[in-house]
Amino acid sequence: MITEPYDIVIVGGGLVGLSLALALGQSQSKTSQRLKVAVIEPYPMMSADQSANPSFDARSTALSYSTERIYRRLGIWDGVVSSAAAIRRIHVSDKGQWGATRLVASEQGMDCYGYVVPNEVLGRNLYRAFHQQRQVELVASLKVSSMVAQSGGYLLTLGDSSDIPSRQLSARLVVVTDGGRSNLAEQLGISYKVSDYHQHAVIANIGLSRSHEEIAYERFTGEGAMALLPLADYISPPGGENDVSDSTMGLAGKREFRSALVWTVPSRQAPGLLEISDADFLARLQKVFGHRAGRFIRVGERHTYPLQLKTASEQFRQGLVLLGNSAHTLHPVAGQGYNLALRDAMTLAECIRQTTTVEQVGSLEVLNHYFEMQRADQARTIMGSDGLLKLFGSKASWIRQARSLGLVSLNLLGLAKEQFTEVAMGVSGVAREWR
Ligand SMILES: Cc1cc2nc3c(=O)[nH]c(=O)nc-3n(C[C@H](O)[C@H](O)[C@H](O)COP(=O)(O)OP(=O)(O)OC[C@H]3O[C@@H](n4cnc5c(N)ncnc54)[C@H](O)[C@@H]3O)c2cc1C
């Protein structure tokens, strides 16, 4: 089999891989150095508007302010924001405790804390922009089945779903953005530190009896955390069928108020929450969440995800770097996994842009520089979201009392509020440069 030489190969065209591909494509058009770059994605792309990739399913993602800035640079913000809902207030509460805090963006001198966007909208905009650039090649419908280090980089073997090898590529730099779904990093001897939350996230779109008023709710119960994030109102086409991304929601021609639910529960409870009827699910949810967001009147498709904090023991080697979930998988309630990974990806693209020779692209010097630039941002974001969940996940009575006090004092202390929202908004550390 002939080996096709590339400078950079991105393994995985999900949220992070595609974002990096766009950034590399754009920076190439501005520099004299021409790098041969490809993205490998096992799912087919049917058109610029349609992808079979489950990364772009009915889930929604809360985008931080830093992500807005990055999307503006990538030229995809206008397409994304038209289907986004702004978060202008955050309400944090603890079930059964008296403390609660309300964060108001305008009181902190901001227009909003961030935006919530269906993943399918993110996928559509990323794919469309990707199609319009000519710098990065897409190798779709094939997956990377093995990777071996060789002089000057890596040798990758690509195969189809039946694992029959069909292409071989070499790369000076391999960026693994496989979402942690394949075991490519493990094949190379990279281990993971796994902290299992013993929880699953149940996610669904929820129809509300009234407008969400651009409020995001974070609610901590003794059994797990819940986030209810505002979504753009759904107006189904007159006389049309229900919308695909929300197939179980929305009556034709009617406006429906919606929020996206991420409900974390002990793992043993998750199957039950998928099996019960819509009416029973809504009743259970209403009981745990209360009526602060009005009545829950409809529920879309329910999905469940196991939750772990997973961090790679090494994020880079000569000719290799891990990004996105394959470098660090975070708990989704804090809504930071993609926001952080996007900042990582943009920093890496910038480090690559600054190289002057093609040999430097996969060098330890460049990759170490990238990692040093992102290290503080990663540590702060990971510790911030993990610490918050541990604090609010504890059932110990003294911790619960302290939590109530904490929420009240968060209301009173401007500084603490700023720190809380910095973690929640993803504008910490180097992320400030994206402002
Ligand atoms: C319920 C839930 C809610 C979340 N909410 C938020 C939020 O509000 N805000 C936020 O910032 N983050 C959120 N996240 C986290 C966010 O979804 C992840 O950080 C993000 O999806 C990671 O993207 P990725 O590209 O690394 O992985 P993925 O999106 O999983 O993409 C991996 C890609 O690699 C491909 N692939 C796999 N194996 C191979 C192979 N062998 N060869 C080639 N390609 C391969 C896959 O097909 C896929 O396209 C949430 C996560 C969950 C589970």
Side-chain angles (χ1 to χ4, degrees):
M1 204 182 298
I2 299 166
T3 302
E4 305 161 56
Y6 284 82
D7 297 309
I8 304 176
V9 169
I10 302 170
V11 181
L15 275 171
V16 179
L18 263 191
S19 306
L20 175 70
L22 263 186
L24 289 177
Q26 289 188 358
S27 62
Q28 288 232 45
S29 57
K30 291 179 203 144
T31 54
S32 53
Q33 181 160 236
R34 284 281 161 272
L35 299 173
K36 196 172 175 209
V37 186
V39 188
I40 319 291
E41 171 53 46
Y43 285 93
M45 260 203 345
M46 292 170 266
S47 72
D49 283 345
Q50 255 188 318
S51 153
N53 192 333
S55 300
F56 305 124
D57 57 16
R59 261 181 299 164
S60 296
T61 297
L63 302 181
S64 66
Y65 187 53
S66 63
T67 295
E68 175 189 340
R69 305 295 297 181
I70 292 167
Y71 274 12
R72 282 189 193 279
R73 283 191 182 193
L74 293 178
I76 59 171
W77 180 245
D78 289 347
V80 168
V81 77
S82 57
S83 304
I87 301 175
R88 297 198 204 277
R89 283 183 281 167
I90 302 177
H91 183 286
V92 189
S93 62
D94 194 356
K95 186 170 180 272
Q97 300 294 301
W98 40 270
T101 196
R102 288 167 190 81
L103 304 167
V104 181
S106 59
E107 288 174 5
Q108 290 175 268
M110 289 175 289
D111 180 39
C112 68
Y113 290 115
Y115 291 85
V116 188
V117 185
N119 281 16
E120 168 269 324
V121 172
L122 296 180
R124 189 167 0 110
N125 283 279
L126 285 166
Y127 271 117
R128 196 177 290 158
F130 182 83
H131 266 273
Q132 283 162 3
Q133 58 83 44
R134 294 276 169 270
Q135 319 290 336
V136 179
E137 188 186 322
L138 175 77
V139 179
S141 307
L142 286 179
K143 67 174 182 174
V144 174
S145 38
S146 78
M147 273 172 48
V148 268
Q150 63 173 17
S151 153
Y154 276 80
L155 183 69
L156 297 98
T157 305
L158 276 48
D160 58 14
S161 50
S162 53
D163 265 339
I164 299 169
S166 54
R167 279 176 80 171
Q168 210 159 53
L169 318 182
S170 68
R172 294 175 195 277
L173 174 64
V174 177
V175 187
V176 180
T177 56
D178 65 351
R181 285 181 209 179
S182 54
N183 62 351
L184 291 172
E186 282 101 332
Q187 271 183 34
L188 298 170
I190 295 176
S191 59
Y192 283 86
K193 187 173 168 213
V194 182
S195 158
D196 198 332
Y197 293 108
H198 303 291
Q199 286 182 324
H200 272 61
V202 176
I203 65 124
N205 289 343
I206 303 293
L208 310 170
S209 59
R210 59 171 165 79
S211 168
H212 47 60
E213 295 171 340
E214 301 178 314
I215 303 174
Y217 295 90
E218 298 225 8
R219 182 156 175 78
F220 297 92
T221 74
E223 306 214 289
M226 311 171 91
L228 192 68
L229 307 171
L231 284 175
D233 296 346
Y234 176 75
I235 305 169
S236 51
E241 288 298 309
N242 288 337
D243 179 66
V244 182
S245 60
D246 239 342
S247 55
T248 51
M249 290 184 62
L251 302 173
K254 245 187 101 179
R255 175 185 292 268
E256 183 146 14
F257 305 116
R258 307 175 307 160
S259 283
L261 171 73
V262 183
W263 183 1
T264 60
V265 293
S267 295
R268 63 180 187 287
Q269 289 181 15
L273 285 174
L274 293 193
E275 283 157 18
I276 54 177
S277 67
D278 286 359
D280 288 346
F281 181 85
L282 289 169
R284 285 269 288 275
L285 177 63
Q286 194 87 63
K287 193 167 170 218
V288 178
F289 190 84
H291 283 80
R292 53 187 59 75
R295 268 188 316 113
F296 300 137
I297 56 175
R298 200 184 285 271
V299 55
E301 279 171 23
R302 286 167 255 164
H303 298 274
T304 171
Y305 299 85
L307 300 179
Q308 294 177 329
L309 169 63
K310 204 172 153 195
T311 46
S313 57
E314 295 166 73
Q315 286 193 28
F316 69 95
R317 286 178 179 177
Q318 169 90 34
L320 178 83
V321 60
L322 310 186
L323 279 192
N325 275 4
S326 83
H328 38 66
T329 304
L330 277 60
H331 193 298
V333 158
Q336 290 301 324
Y338 175 57
N339 291 307
L340 172 63
L342 186 65
R343 298 195 295 273
D344 290 347
M346 296 306 115
T347 304
L348 178 66
E350 181 56 20
C351 291
I352 292 171
R353 192 187 66 79
Q354 287 173 5
T355 58
T356 47
T357 64
V358 74
E359 288 75 25
Q360 285 177 331
V361 165
S363 69
L364 273 180
E365 192 194 351
V366 168
L367 298 178
N368 189 45
H369 180 54
Y370 149 72
F371 186 62
E372 285 307 319
M373 283 182 76
Q374 277 308 103
R375 186 200 284 272
D377 188 11
Q378 288 189 7
R380 187 182 164 114
T381 309
I382 292 170
M383 278 165 55
S385 54
D386 185 50
L388 202 68
L389 285 153
K390 285 197 173 125
L391 175 70
F392 283 94
S394 174
K395 286 182 181 165
S397 66
W398 70 272
I399 294 186
R400 300 199 74 177
Q401 300 261 338
R403 274 197 316 240
S404 294
L405 281 172
L407 286 178
V408 171
S409 57
L410 198 60
N411 250 340
L412 301 175
L413 296 173
L415 181 66
K417 248 184 201 179
E418 272 194 8
Q419 283 165 349
F420 180 87
T421 46
E422 275 199 4
V423 174
M425 291 169 58
V427 288
S428 55
V430 229
R432 290 176 196 282
E433 287 172 17
W434 301 110
R435 284 177 179 208

